[in-house]
């Protein structure tokens, strides 16, 4: 259809004549004849706008969600409420259709929003500097391990068995290029047992998530002590919602704090775009991956914002850059900043509290079902794992018929969590009401009977 | 006349004048202790306190101080920020290599359907058939557009696609029992290419461009040996020129046992005209945020799918959507997959936008895109002859490179100054100082969505700037929310947070 090329036929003819051509095909004379596509693309002809929306609506209607499939799944993707203010503001077209702020004079809006985002992530992490975002939680842990291996000159990273199994998988994928050695440190009763780490080679870093994939709160201070004994970095993956109630990872000794920022203002979106959170100590700022916004002044001395320490980045440092990140998740970071502002100081605590309350209420009711037991006895905050008399995947399938996304199947093998198995990981957000939880528990009781 | 009123409470008023060039306070300066916007739904769940929920040793003592503002002040603040931001919806972005085309509003609505936005990524496949069908259809169509045989949609950005592609290259060679150390890239390549090569565990070998601005075929042949894993090329290249010798390049690289990687940054120029697969490429990444109208979002999210030829399909990241004989869809991980490259399935909503864009354009419309882009760029190059140096003045594709080399000698006009002056003229600056092989480079890509009138206005503005009296352009920009920004100071005195600003100027933050 070509709806989006505005030229009239007359204008096309005139422009071609201006450059000495007589047809659009001649524009491509520089392409050898043998390489030119004869007969056009094997792609259906273009559709009018309303037909496209109908087709997209048809696809959307083939997915179950919301009240048809009440969400008790988490695993790093959480069903939170998003206020109208966040949706209305973050999707203003000045943000949506802007380019990367390489021309700061016309990009103060995005730059200032990112500066405010960085400030909030820094406070959340308890570390003095945060970048302007990475792709997702997985990319944030990859970049954190790259920072530590580069800074220490060591190649090994100890990875807690409680890390998100998909993040662990991504770490392994990229380690094929960097040659980093990833050593699993197993869980014991749901939390990392650092005494089980092999002592052969001193690690560049310890990587732990708190709460971890099973929802268990890890003791970051213990991990710090172990890291100190090897002069290694401590990398901590936080959940930004849990952070509202838990001690700050930076205060407990993290060198780098990473996380998945989706819970603040981004819908479930079938897994993306999400938001990689990244904050670190000031001594590591020159190895910080991705963009960093700093405050400065313009020629007249007025406050102004600009991407800074650009010499770290791939477009300048090229093959010597420690990260290849260019495009990031700016728009998601802007939405996150707006959502955090809307929540505010008391709202973040309240959100965390409400998730913890719903989780406790659900956990107590679920574990009261005969045959259902917690996978681990340690404290959890917004998510917990249970063993059931029926395998997890079967529970998910049958609970779907009752109108619930019951959770995410999970297993533990050799002390390391896996994304498949017979147990079930259940998450409860502030969105779940007592009535929904009661109905969920009744259905579960029926399903596992 | 008026009675003296009582002292105002501390903090910024939302009606502070911000029109024009007054700076906008940070959100933290609007904060007032105890104020809040948040509201939470009624749940009926017991209201346990923090101590009932978190063991004392883990519980934080004080809330994290974010900010304490009303929704009204938040909305005013953020709206004023948008007034300090240029965007495609405001005007043209002739930003070479970035393909800043207009993004149809249709795609915003298509990607906002609750049936897409509200679906949990772990939803069992029989309950998410719509998403699987969408992703499978997009991957299949991207293969048709690029002439490849299978595609992963996981990489969330172009650079992530590059690294994924290099790991595929590595897996391929390893499967043949070969260890190859080097990857060749042209001297005109994007910075992400060499950075990705390093992260992929390879060494970069640079091949020079010849007098035509194309890969020097003889120099390339000199560099090809059993250590070369492959070559990364953009075609058209970053000068906007089509690599005419691509068939010979492909034959030479394949002859040496290497693979060809296609950096899809410039794919917009060849849609429906020629395909990387037909040129001999083995691996292709696409920037959906360039070619397929996913808006840039101020720097992301994008999407960087990677398509490969048949012999590399078994190595792709998984799980991937697959179509079964009965027409339903399932997840499947290829036999020799390199593993995941994303937490879930990639930037799914960006992928949905791209799919709606492809549906609207169709095969015929996509070719029209390439025609419009190439016509606009060639027409503009013709207009700028005489005003600027055109170092490679030959038929270009969707973009071309001009230079102020002569103007700099004559009157000190640099590429940077042209960019800043253009901001005053209502256009975004072109890409400057890239590619690195051109002195004072202005890399200009008008895109197909700009009308002939807009492209003509851009030409007029650029010609006016070239004629500026000496010293005039260095004063620009004078009409933007801020003037030239002191970047050196930002790096020298790093202030990455409001807390750093407050610590720097105790007692008068923001002064």
């Amino acid at each position: 259809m070509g709806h989006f090329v505005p030229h009239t036929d007359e204008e096309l003819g005139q422009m071609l004549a201006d450059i000495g051509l007589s047809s659009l095909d001649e524009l491509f004379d520089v392409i050898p004849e043998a390489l030119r596509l004869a007969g056009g693309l094997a792609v259906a002809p273009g559709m009018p706008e309303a037909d496209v929306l109908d087709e997209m609506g048809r696809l959307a209607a083939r997915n179950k969600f919301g009240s048809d499939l009440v969400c008790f799944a988490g695993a790093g993707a959480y069903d939170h409420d998003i206020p109208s203010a966040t949706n209305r503001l973050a999707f203003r077209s000045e943000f949506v259709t802007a380019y990367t702020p390489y021309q700061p004079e016309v990009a103060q809006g995005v730059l200032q929003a990112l500066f405010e985002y960085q400030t909030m992530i820094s406070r959340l992490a308890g570390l003095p500097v945060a970048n302007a975002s990475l792709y997702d939680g997985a990319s944030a842990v990859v970049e954190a391990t790259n920072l530590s291996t580069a800074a220490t000159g060591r190649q090994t990273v100890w990875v807690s068995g409680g890390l998100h199994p998909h993040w662990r998988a991504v770490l392994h994928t990229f380690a094929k290029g960097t040659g980093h050695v990833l050593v699993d440190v197993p869980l014991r009763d749901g939390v990392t047992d650092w005494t089980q780490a092999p002592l052969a080679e001193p690690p560049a870093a310890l990587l732990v998530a708190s709460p971890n994939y099973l929802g268990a709160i890890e003791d970051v201070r213990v991990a710090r002590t172990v890291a100190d004994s090897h002069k290694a970095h401590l990398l901590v993956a936080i959940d930004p919602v849990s952070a509202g109630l838990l001690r700050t990872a930076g205060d407990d000794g993290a060198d780098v704090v990473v996380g998945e920022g989706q819970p603040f203002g981004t819908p479930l979106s079938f897994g993306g775009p999400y938001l990689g959170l990244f904050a670190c100590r000031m001594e590591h700022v020159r190895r910080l991956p991705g963009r960093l916004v700093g405050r400065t002044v313009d020629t007249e001395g007025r406050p102004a914002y600009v991407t800074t320490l650009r010499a770290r980045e791939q477009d300048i440092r090229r093959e010597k850059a420690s990260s290849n990140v260019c495009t990031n998740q700016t728009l998601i970071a802007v939405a996150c900043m707006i959502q955090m502002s809307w929540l505010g100081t008391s709202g973040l605590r309240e959100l965390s509290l409400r998730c913890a309350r719903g989780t406790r209420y659900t956990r107590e009711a679920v574990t009261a079902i005969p045959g259902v037991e917690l996978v681990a006895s340690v404290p959890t905050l917004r998510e917990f794992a249970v063993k059931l008399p029926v395998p997890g995947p079967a529970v998910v399938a049958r609970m779907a018929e009752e109108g619930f996304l019951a959770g995410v199947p999970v297993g533990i093998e050799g002390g390391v969590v896996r994304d498949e198995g017979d147990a079930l990981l259940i998450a409860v957000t502030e969105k779940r009401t007592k009535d929904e939880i009661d109905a969920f528990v009744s259905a579960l009781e029926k399903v596992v009977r | 006349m008026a009675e003296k009123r009582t002292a105002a409470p501390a903090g910024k008023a939302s009606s502070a004048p911000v029109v024009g060039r007054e700076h906008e306070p940070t959100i933290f300066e609007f904060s007032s202790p105890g104020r809040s916007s948040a509201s939470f739904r009624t749940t009926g769940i017991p209201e346990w306190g923090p101590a009932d929920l978190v063991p004392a040793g883990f519980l934080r003592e004080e809330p994290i101080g974010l900010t304490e503002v009303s929704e009204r002040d938040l909305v005013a603040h953020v709206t004023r920020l948008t007034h300090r931001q240029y965007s495609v919806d405001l005007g043209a972005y002739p930003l070479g290599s970035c393909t800043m085309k207009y993004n149809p509003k249709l795609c915003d609505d298509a990607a906002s359907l609750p049936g897409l936005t509200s679906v949990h990524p772990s939803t069992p496949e029989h309950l998410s058939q719509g998403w699987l069908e969408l992703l499978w259809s997009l991957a299949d169509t991207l293969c048709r557009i690029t002439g490849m045989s299978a595609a992963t949609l996981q990489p969330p950005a172009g650079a992530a696609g590059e690294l994924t592609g290099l790991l595929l290259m590595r897996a391929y060679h390893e499967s043949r029992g070969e260890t190859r150390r080097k990857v060749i890239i042209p001297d005109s390549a994007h910075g992400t290419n060499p950075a990705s090569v390093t992260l992929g565990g390879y060494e970069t070998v640079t091949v020079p461009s010849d007098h035509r601005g194309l890969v020097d075929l003889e120099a390339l042949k000199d560099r090809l040996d059993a250590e070369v894993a492959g070559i990364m090329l953009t075609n058209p290249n970053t000068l906007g020129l089509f690599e005419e010798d691509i068939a010979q390049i492909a034959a030479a690289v394949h002859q040496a046992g290497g693979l060809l990687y296609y950096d899809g940054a410039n794919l917009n120029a060849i849609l429906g005209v020629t395909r990387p697969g037909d040129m001999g490429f083995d691996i292709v990444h696409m920037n959906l945020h360039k070619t397929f109208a996913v808006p840039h979002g101020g720097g992301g999210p994008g999407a960087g799918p990677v398509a490969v030829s048949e012999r590399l399909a078994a190595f792709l990241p998984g799980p991937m959507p697959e179509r079964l004989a009965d027409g339903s869809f399932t997840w499947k991980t290829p036999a020799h997959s390199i593993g995941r490259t994303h937490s879930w399935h990639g930037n799914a909503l960006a992928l949905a936008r791209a799919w709606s864009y492809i549906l609207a354009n169709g095969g015929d419309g996509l070719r029209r895109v390439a025609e419009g882009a190439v016509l606009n760029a060639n027409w503009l190059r013709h207009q700028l002859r005489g005003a600027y140096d055109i170092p490679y003045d030959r038929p270009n594709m969707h973009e071309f490179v001009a230079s102020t080399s002569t103007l700099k000698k004559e009157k000190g006009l640099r590429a940077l100054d042209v960019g800043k002056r253009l901001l005053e003229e209502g256009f975004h600056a072109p890409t400057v100082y890239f590619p690195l092989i051109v002195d004072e480079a202005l890399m200009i890509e008008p895109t197909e969505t700009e009308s002939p009138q807009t492209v003509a206005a851009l030409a007029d503005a650029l010609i006016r700037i070239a004629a500026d009296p000496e010293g005039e352009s260095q004063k620009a920009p004078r009409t933007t929310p801020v003037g030239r920004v002191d970047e050196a100071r930002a790096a020298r005195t790093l202030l990455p947070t409001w807390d750093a600003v407050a610590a720097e100027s105790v007692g008068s933050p923001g002064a």
Side-chain angles (χ1 to χ4, degrees), chain B residues 3 5 57 76 81 87 152 161 177 185 187 252 256 276 304 307 310 329 340 348 395 429 451 459-460 470 473 491:
Chain B
E3 296 276 313
R5 67 168 174 80
L81 289 183
S87 62
T152 173
I185 60 171
D187 54 5
E310 181 65 41
F329 296 88
R340 279 183 180 277
S451 68
D460 289 346
E470 186 166 350
S473 297

Side-chain angles (χ1 to χ4, degrees), chain A residues 364-381:
Chain A
E364 288 178 354
V366 165
T367 52
I369 300 172
V372 177
E373 285 173 37
L374 288 171
V375 166
S377 64
V378 292
T380 60
L381 198 147

Side-chain angles (χ1 to χ4, degrees), chain A residues 243-377:
Chain A
L245 282 180
L246 297 179
R247 291 173 54 83
T248 306
D251 290 349
D252 282 349
D255 292 279
V256 179
V257 167
V258 295
E260 173 52 70
Q262 176 272 335
F264 289 162
T266 293
L268 289 165
S269 316
F270 208 50
Y274 284 4
L275 174 65
L277 311 178
F278 196 104
C280 67
R281 295 180 188 274
M282 199 52 89
E283 66 198 81
H284 302 311
V285 72
R286 283 175 199 279
R287 294 186 197 278
L288 185 75
R291 296 195 188 100
L292 177 67
V293 175
R295 179 156 150 141
T296 181
V297 293
D298 76 350
T299 41
E300 293 170 41
R302 292 171 304 191
Y305 302 88
V306 67
T307 54
T308 192
L309 301 187
R310 293 268 294 116
R312 298 166 297 117
E313 291 188 50
Q314 45 73 31
D315 56 325
I316 295 174
R317 235 173 126 66
R318 298 176 77 85
E319 68 268 20
K320 294 191 182 63
S322 57
S323 166
N324 69 341
V325 172
C326 178
T327 292
N328 56 21
Q329 306 284 107
T330 298
L331 184 66
I332 312 298
V334 171
C336 179
M337 181 281 282
I338 295 166
Q339 175 83 358
M340 284 191 286
S341 301
W342 183 88
L343 284 168
T345 301
S346 60
L348 172 58
R349 184 174 170 284
E350 178 76 11
L351 173 66
S352 189
L353 199 52
R354 282 169 172 263
C355 292
R357 284 173 184 155
T359 302
R360 173 174 167 176
Y361 182 76
T362 310
R363 189 177 60 222
E364 288 178 354
V366 165
T367 52
I369 300 172
V372 177
E373 285 173 37
L374 288 171
V375 166
S377 64

